Amino acid sequence: MLPEHLQRQLACRRGNRGRFAPSPTGRLHLGNLRTALISWLITRLQGGEWLLRIDDLDIPRNRPNAEDSILSDLRCLGLEWDGPLIRQSERRGLYASVLSALRRNGRLYPCRCSRRMLADVSAPHGATAVYPGFCRNRASGWGAEQGRLPSWRLRLRPGVLGWSEQLAEHGNLAAETEVGDVVLRRADGFLAYHLATAVDELALGITDVVRGCDLWSATGPQVAVMRELDGEPPQYWHLPLWLDEQGQRLSKRDGGLGLDSLSDQGLDAAAVVGLMAASLQLVPPGSRLSSGELLQDCSLDRLQAVLCRRA
Ligand code: GLU
């Protein structure tokens, strides 16, 4: 059981709430912008609140000015968020309290397996690696050994982890064999993305997570953490990725196809919204419209139907 003040903080669901949660690792590309647009539409069509959360815990991956460019690109496209901007780096106290409570309750264990070692024993490329549990029952302390601190893993309870998917079959994974014990604090001392994300979905009262389908495999571990915290996972919309002409996914780090390069090609905000909406066959190619106009023209059923066709 978590202490009561944490239980209260993690149970704050009120009405429909969506969020867009970019990591500030570079300029948003067309695929990220389309995800933001769809997330905004899904929330607004349900009369909900749309939050903007910057996932900036992994400091070495953050890029200078990325946050500013994210905010200005969203504003330029008319995707206004509700409430103050949320930064995970400012919420470390909450994540650390949850982590301490789990450790006090005996739900975590120290793991000394290196990434390299796990890569050597893991499934062939492409399959999601499930932690084989080497340190699960090993008597070991929490301090440094040979100069290295352990990572902290959550000991998953056996059973099935289920969640609802709006564009595909519902998620249904066996905790032990398909998800595995999740790292909540990394060996370098950083709080893990799965911990922060799971805590935030609950603490921010998120009902709809809309994100790229590349994050589908993150859902099992995140749902595992939410279940451990007695929380109800949101419903998920895992969207198809935007592919370039060679069929490759776009990358923020490559800096291609951001709003700046689209504007160099003569596309203003109305043309970019038109391009994104046309890519989903919501409007004819070459349309120009604002996000607000698209919202007026769209319904949740229609959006879900076009997304389902493409998922
Ligand atoms: N911060 C993650 C990213 O930019 C996405 C997190 C999420 O939507 O759950 O890839």
Side-chain angles (χ1 to χ4, degrees), residues 59-227:
I59 295 166
R61 295 185 67 231
N62 294 346
R63 289 286 167 271
N65 306 325
E67 181 184 298
D68 287 347
S69 76
I70 290 170
L71 305 192
S72 72
D73 287 357
L74 294 177
R75 286 198 182 107
C76 172
L77 294 179
L79 304 179
E80 290 290 341
W81 56 95
D82 294 300
L85 175 69
I86 298 157
R87 291 191 191 89
Q88 287 195 324
S89 58
E90 292 167 1
R91 298 168 61 79
R92 287 196 183 98
L94 172 62
Y95 313 138
S97 305
V98 170
L99 198 60
S100 308
L102 291 173
R103 187 174 151 181
R104 268 199 309 276
N105 289 350
R107 301 298 306 135
L108 307 182
Y109 63 89
C111 171
R112 306 208 176 256
C113 298
S114 65
R115 271 185 203 214
R116 179 122 174 241
M117 192 256 259
L118 291 176
D120 288 347
V121 297
S122 75
H125 188 66
T128 309
V130 174
Y131 177 61
F134 294 142
C135 292
R136 215 171 199 243
N137 300 312
R138 190 171 162 251
S140 155
W142 295 87
E145 273 179 21
Q146 290 161 1
R148 266 182 64 88
L149 285 167
S151 58
W152 299 14
R153 280 192 192 268
L154 175 65
R155 190 183 295 277
L156 289 204
R157 299 170 202 273
V160 171
L161 294 165
W163 69 88
S164 106
E165 286 281 348
Q166 296 302 100
L167 302 177
E169 272 183 37
H170 290 337
N172 214 349
L173 295 178
E176 283 180 303
T177 54
E178 293 178 289
V179 178
D181 294 346
V182 187
V183 170
L184 299 191
R185 199 184 101 134
R186 294 168 13 186
D188 58 11
F190 281 69
L191 295 162
Y193 156 66
H194 292 319
L195 170 72
T197 298
V199 167
D200 278 344
E201 312 303 20
L202 298 181
L204 301 172
I206 302 301
T207 55
D208 291 81
V209 167
V210 180
R211 59 187 183 183
C213 61
D214 52 332
L215 286 164
W216 189 91
S217 60
T219 314
Q222 291 169 11
V223 167
V225 180
M226 287 184 236
R227 296 283 184 212

Side-chain angles (χ1 to χ4, degrees), residues 19-25 32 35 53-56 61 88 193 197 201 209-212 214-215 218 222 236 252:
R19 92 313 189 254
F20 180 55
S23 303
T25 52
N32 306 132
T35 299
R53 185 182 84 210
I54 302 290
D55 287 356
D56 56 355
R61 295 185 67 231
Q88 287 195 324
Y193 156 66
T197 298
E201 312 303 20
V209 167
V210 180
R211 59 187 183 183
D214 52 332
L215 286 164
Q222 291 169 11
Y236 289 87
K252 256 192 254 170

